[in-house]
């Protein structure tokens, strides 16, 4: 990653610190940008009379705002970098600092993938409109998306999304893709998202029935895996750091679903569950955890509520329960379950274990709204 091509928009933060005459400010920086943290602390301290404390614990999202512990240290303002504001209140005044990357690769490498995906979307759409002429069973088979659901598809538009540091380019890319002959939609999601085209690892709420396939502007497969698990739609990726294009293969998604199903099967006879509640402000789903406990009791099984700031195998593996269900960050169960000695399920997966939801009607991604 070429750090010099990232822009850190510190001006608003410096202005706010000066206006409020803040003396102690906490700086929270995501993992990928931590190497730059000291440089940023220098820049802020040189321009203001504030002292900066780096909140050096791991930080993976705006769900993870530092809160009361910094208040107890006397911090007056939190500067949170590289993520956007969510629909949560950490109880601390917080300034969100935009980080943008100026890489804007050409779209040519991704066009053949997009054309192929548009064909898949159009085929699904025409099969759906001919539904009356085939049997119910055949319809089930034909309209299944990548995660086994019968989804109502009403269009074959290209949905254009990206990770936050590339969103300033999203409407420019929309024009480029339209010039290449695609009908493009930049989806606008719910209250957890701040910008058109934004996706989070736990929220893809901008998805619409008239979007038939997606292009993700960003790097890595974290957001793409979640997007396909959530929407079941074909997805291409264009990486602004390398200019490379690829697709999220349905085989990869199938592999993840096989693993999830294996964990569900492994919990068939499980009697006791640890129910994990995340303490981070944007991950805390206490009511969901209580609902899971009630469900377990209804089915003659036992659930123990366990609250944690960070979730990790070393913190839970030793408890004498048969399995865990996670209500903190949804991606802990999906992406990290191999690290745990016992099955780690999402709430939907627990409901499948208990027979309250059916695996056969398709996978339901655990979204935080
Ligand atoms: S995916 Fe997890 S870490 Fe990322 S914003 Fe959502 S809850 Fe937070």
């Amino acid at each position: 990653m070429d750090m010099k091509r990232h822009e850190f928009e510190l001006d608003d933060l410096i202005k706010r610190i000066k206006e409020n005459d803040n003396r102690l400010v906490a700086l929270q920086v995501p993992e990928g940008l931590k190497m730059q943290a000291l440089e940023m602390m220098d820049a802020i301290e040189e321009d203001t009379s504030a002292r900066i404390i780096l909140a050096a614990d791991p930080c993976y999202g705006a769900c993870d705002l530092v809160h009361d512990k910094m208040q107890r240290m006397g911090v007056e303002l939190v500067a949170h970098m590289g993520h956007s504001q969510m629909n949560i209140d950490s109880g601390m005044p917080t300034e969100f600092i935009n980080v943008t990357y100026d890489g804007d690769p050409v779209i040519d490498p991704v066009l053949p993938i997009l054309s192929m995906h548009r064909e898949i979307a159009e085929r699904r759409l025409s099969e759906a409109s001919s539904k009356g002429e085939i049997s119910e069973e055949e319809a089930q088979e034909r309209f299944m998306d990548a995660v086994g659901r019968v989804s109502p598809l009403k269009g074959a538009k290209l949905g254009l999304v990206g990770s936050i540091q590339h969103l300033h380019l999203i409407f420019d890319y929309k024009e480029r893709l339209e010039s290449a002959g695609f009908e493009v939609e930049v989806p606008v999601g719910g209250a957890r998202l701040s910008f058109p085209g934004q996706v989070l690892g736990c929220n893809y709420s901008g998805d619409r029935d008239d979007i038939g396939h997606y292009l993700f502007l960003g790097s890595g497969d974290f957001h793409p895996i979640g997007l396909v698990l959530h929407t079941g739609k074909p997805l291409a990726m264009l990486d602004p750091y390398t200019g490379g294009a690829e697709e999220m293969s349905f085989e990869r998604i199938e592999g993840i679903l096989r693993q999830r199903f294996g964990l569900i099967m492994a919990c068939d006879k499980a009697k006791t569950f640890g129910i994990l509640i995340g303490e981070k402000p944007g991950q805390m789903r206490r009511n969901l955890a209580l609902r899971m406990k009630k469900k377990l009791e209804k089915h003659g099984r036992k659930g123990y509520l366990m609250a944690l700031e960070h979730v990790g195998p070393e913190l839970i593996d030793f408890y004498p329960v048969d399995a865990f269900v996670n209500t903190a960050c949804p991606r802990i169960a999906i992406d990290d379950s191999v690290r745990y000695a016992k099955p780690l399920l999402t709430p939907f997966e627990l409901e499948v274990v208990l027979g309250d939801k059916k695996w056969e009607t398709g996978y339901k991604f655990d979204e935080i709204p």
Side-chain angles (χ1 to χ4, degrees):
M1 197 185 290
D2 182 357
M3 294 309 301
K4 289 192 191 73
R5 295 181 65 186
H6 279 94
E7 185 165 337
F8 305 96
E9 296 170 15
L10 294 178
D11 295 356
D12 285 349
L13 171 69
I14 288 173
K15 193 164 157 250
R16 182 167 173 177
I17 293 172
K18 284 180 176 168
E19 273 170 10
N20 296 340
D21 196 21
N22 292 133
R23 295 304 159 107
L24 205 53
V25 173
L27 178 66
Q28 204 177 14
V29 180
E31 295 314 286
L33 300 176
K34 281 226 161 84
M35 287 293 283
Q36 308 300 302
L38 305 188
E39 212 178 287
M40 287 181 244
M41 292 164 79
D42 281 343
I44 303 164
E45 286 193 348
E46 271 162 28
D47 242 344
T48 69
S49 48
R51 290 287 162 262
I52 312 299
I53 298 177
L54 180 67
D57 281 325
C59 171
Y60 297 102
C63 58
D64 191 6
L65 294 175
V66 282
H67 40 107
D68 50 343
K69 59 185 175 187
M70 284 294 169
Q71 213 154 21
R72 284 200 295 274
M73 242 182 251
V75 166
E76 299 151 297
L77 176 70
V78 174
H80 186 100
M81 179 161 283
H83 303 119
S84 65
Q85 184 152 19
M86 277 181 182
N87 50 350
I88 55 168
D89 179 7
S90 69
M92 287 283 294
T94 304
E95 178 78 25
F96 289 86
I97 304 164
N98 270 347
V99 179
T100 54
Y101 183 72
D102 73 356
D104 65 335
V106 293
I107 58 172
D108 301 37
V110 83
L111 292 178
I113 307 174
L114 293 178
S115 299
M116 202 169 72
H117 288 175
R118 179 169 55 188
E119 275 175 32
I120 297 174
E122 285 171 346
R123 199 166 54 242
R124 287 193 56 216
L125 196 60
S126 72
E127 284 173 351
S129 58
S130 67
K131 193 176 174 184
E133 298 151 26
I134 53 176
S135 71
E136 196 61 23
E137 204 171 279
E138 204 182 342
Q140 285 280 105
E141 273 299 304
R142 281 168 51 178
F143 311 138
M144 296 279 210
D145 62 18
V147 294
R149 284 181 318 230
V150 184
S151 303
L153 198 58
K154 297 203 178 99
K157 280 189 198 168
L158 169 62
L160 177 60
V161 295
S163 52
I164 189 157
Q165 60 273 45
H166 312 296
L167 288 179
H168 61 295
L169 297 171
I170 208 101
F171 287 102
D172 184 32
Y173 271 86
K174 181 176 188 283
E175 276 179 25
R176 294 189 210 180
L177 290 157
E178 283 170 343
S179 300
F182 289 89
E183 202 186 342
V184 185
E185 175 87 27
V186 176
V188 176
R192 197 167 171 85
L193 307 173
S194 302
F195 303 107
Q198 189 182 6
V199 288
L200 293 174
C202 56
N203 190 296
Y204 303 92
S205 51
D207 186 40
R208 302 276 178 273
D209 293 346
D210 61 347
I211 295 175
H213 64 127
Y214 276 97
L215 172 61
F216 171 73
L217 201 56
S219 64
D221 54 15
F222 179 71
H223 294 97
I225 284 176
L227 186 58
V228 180
L229 284 176
H230 182 92
T231 66
K233 296 172 184 175
L235 171 72
M237 294 118 88
L238 183 61
D239 187 334
Y241 296 108
T242 65
E246 57 181 321
E247 66 174 338
M248 174 52 62
S249 77
F250 283 166
E251 289 75 27
R252 177 93 187 273
I253 299 300
E254 257 175 51
I256 294 170
L257 292 178
R258 262 199 305 277
Q259 185 205 36
R260 303 317 305 167
F261 190 62
L263 292 171
I264 289 171
M265 295 302 284
C267 290
D268 189 35
K269 301 263 177 315
K271 286 275 172 263
T272 52
F273 288 78
I275 305 169
L276 310 180
I277 307 174
E279 289 174 3
K280 296 176 182 181
Q283 296 186 9
M284 208 277 284
R285 293 188 286 172
R286 182 205 60 177
N287 290 349
L288 176 63
L290 288 170
R291 227 171 44 240
M292 292 301 115
K293 183 171 168 63
K294 204 164 163 195
K295 264 182 188 291
L296 283 163
E297 282 163 3
K298 190 178 122 206
H299 289 272
R301 309 195 198 196
K302 178 93 194 165
Y304 295 93
L305 297 166
M306 300 173 173
L308 304 96
E309 174 97 22
H310 300 285
V311 179
E314 69 288 357
L315 299 172
I316 60 169
D317 268 348
F318 56 87
Y319 288 108
V321 292
D322 299 321
F324 293 95
V325 57
N326 172 45
T327 68
C329 168
R331 302 304 295 266
I332 295 168
I334 304 289
D335 301 62
D336 296 343
S337 55
V338 290
R339 296 175 53 219
Y340 293 80
K342 294 172 184 173
L344 180 59
L345 302 178
T346 69
F348 163 76
E349 292 163 357
L350 177 66
E351 290 184 284
V352 176
V353 169
L354 299 175
D356 287 353
K357 292 270 162 70
K358 281 193 178 6
W359 179 261
E360 296 71 26
T361 49
Y363 189 77
K364 187 167 182 315
F365 180 73
D366 177 25
E367 180 176 74
I368 305 185

